[in-house]
Amino acid sequence: MLEKVGFQETIIVVLDEDKSNILNALEKCPLKIKYELLVIPSEEDWGTANSLKNISHRVTTDLVIVSGDLITNVNLNEVLNLYRKHDAALATLFFNNGPEEWIELPGLPNHGYESKIRKMSAYNDHTLGNKAVYCNDLLRCYAHIPDKTTFGIRVNTLSSFCLSNKKIMTKWEELTGLPLTDRIHANSEVKTKQIDEMCIVGEKTLISERTSIKSSFIGANCTIENKVRLTNCILMNNVTVKEGCVLQDCIVYTGATLNTGCSFQYCLIGPHHLVPASSSGVHQLYAETTDNVITLG
């Protein structure tokens, strides 16, 4: 996204423990933009502000802050132009429709409150005539809200993670500018013919012949044995699904193993969790716990 609007360099702030994985992923992307990874301690629970403070010595000019979990087709120039036009201290980007379709609420007629609220607030559209330009404020903050048809989602919740995986296939070319040609990685071994066009398979994954896979995303280094059925599932890297398992609308985290004959619907299987044979469940969570805290990654 940054490269498309003309940025030539960027700093990527990452956790120390994630640096190598992120660097490996970036090296596989056909990027021309120059990037540098700066790390913050993995044990620190820093948000955006503390992360920026930590690298403040590198900030010498105006900057654009983009969350690493943002997926969008927005034209970033619209935000930048808003910032420049008003010589703003801050310009932000908001999506007014969220991940779901926007619904116009009925009712809510204007009883004259809107004009009273504007008069009492710092709001200024520069046409009201009863206020000075920018209300004489030295610090000016603006928000850009793109058209409701613009796609924008932050992958920072479980629901948005599921939704983004479902939508990414149809949005791929629009978001990246590249056709989605390799749904099944060349280094994977997919023996089954019962795998539909809405599936993605990562590298070095083995899928046995007598399996049925529909609308599912399978990561790298996974093993799917015979007589397995997957529908609307997300399998992360290094997952093993033994013979005879049936999964529908499930998320299986990195390194998990499901033994033979398991049956799950709308379930989460935590990282490196070993599921006993013939287990079954609906709307359940299976994960390791430490001090009564469930860790999912």
Side-chain angles (χ1 to χ4, degrees):
M1 179 183 67
L2 294 173
E3 185 177 284
K4 281 198 291 187
V5 296
F7 282 87
Q8 297 180 342
E9 59 183 34
T10 182
I11 293 174
I12 306 174
V13 182
V14 301
L15 290 176
D16 189 21
E17 64 183 14
D18 294 332
K19 180 180 178 180
S20 60
N21 287 335
I22 293 175
L23 190 60
N24 288 338
L26 285 169
E27 289 174 347
K28 296 177 183 178
C29 298
L31 296 173
K32 297 179 182 178
I33 188 172
K34 179 182 177 182
Y35 55 84
E36 177 184 2
L37 272 64
L38 295 183
V39 300
I40 60 176
S42 298
E43 65 272 11
E44 298 289 347
D45 186 19
W46 288 353
T48 302
N50 279 330
S51 299
L52 287 173
K53 181 181 178 181
N54 186 59
I55 66 166
S56 59
H57 62 285
R58 297 293 306 276
V59 180
T60 59
T61 184
D62 295 355
L63 74 160
V64 177
I65 302 169
V66 181
S67 296
D69 54 20
L70 174 67
I71 303 176
T72 181
N73 60 0
V74 71
N75 182 357
L76 196 60
N77 276 319
E78 295 174 353
V79 185
L80 303 178
N81 290 338
L82 180 68
Y83 176 79
R84 298 183 184 111
K85 177 181 178 181
H86 300 289
D87 191 23
L90 174 71
T92 58
L93 172 64
F94 289 94
F95 298 100
N96 66 0
N97 56 350
E100 305 297 342
E101 298 297 327
W102 177 258
I103 299 175
E104 296 285 354
L105 297 176
L108 301 178
N110 185 357
H111 290 294
Y113 296 120
E114 183 178 312
S115 60
K116 294 180 181 179
I117 292 171
R118 288 191 177 187
K119 186 177 180 179
M120 296 172 64
S121 75
Y123 173 86
N124 194 317
D125 63 3
H126 318 302
T127 62
L128 296 177
N130 61 340
K131 290 186 178 182
V133 176
Y134 300 114
C135 299
N136 292 323
D137 283 337
L138 295 178
L139 294 178
R140 299 188 281 272
C141 302
Y142 282 81
H144 174 67
I145 304 176
D147 185 87
K148 295 173 184 176
T149 60
T150 302
F151 179 75
I153 186 171
R154 286 196 57 191
V155 191
N156 56 0
T157 65
L158 187 60
S159 59
S160 63
F161 173 71
C162 293
L163 186 63
S164 61
N165 274 276
K166 290 181 179 180
K167 285 185 174 288
I168 197 67
M169 294 283 284
T170 57
K171 297 288 184 179
W172 183 267
E173 190 164 350
E174 183 181 354
L175 291 167
T176 66
L178 301 170
L180 182 59
T181 55
D182 300 321
R183 295 184 302 102
I184 299 176
H185 197 279
N187 291 336
S188 63
E189 186 177 357
V190 179
K191 297 180 179 180
T192 183
K193 295 182 179 179
Q194 298 185 58
I195 181 169
D196 66 21
E197 295 182 354
M198 296 303 293
C199 293
I200 294 287
V201 179
E203 62 179 327
K204 298 181 180 178
T205 284
L206 172 63
I207 300 180
S208 299
E209 183 176 4
R210 291 181 291 167
T211 59
S212 174
I213 303 175
K214 300 178 180 178
S215 301
S216 295
F217 295 81
I218 302 173
N221 301 301
C222 293
T223 300
I224 313 297
E225 296 187 354
N226 282 321
K227 299 180 181 179
V228 168
R229 298 204 309 269
L230 304 177
T231 305
N232 295 326
C233 291
I234 300 172
L235 275 59
M236 299 187 187
N237 297 338
N238 303 301
V239 169
T240 298
V241 183
K242 297 285 189 177
E243 183 172 324
C245 290
V246 178
L247 306 180
Q248 176 186 333
D249 294 284
C250 293
I251 299 178
V252 184
Y253 282 77
T254 300
T257 297
L258 287 78
N259 275 304
T260 56
C262 291
S263 178
F264 294 112
Q265 291 179 295
Y266 302 98
C267 290
L268 297 179
I269 313 298
H272 309 289
H273 190 73
L274 178 61
V275 181
S278 302
S279 298
S280 63
V282 179
H283 290 288
Q284 296 293 321
L285 168 63
Y286 302 87
E288 307 301 328
T289 60
T290 304
D291 296 328
N292 294 320
V293 175
I294 297 173
T295 303
L296 290 178

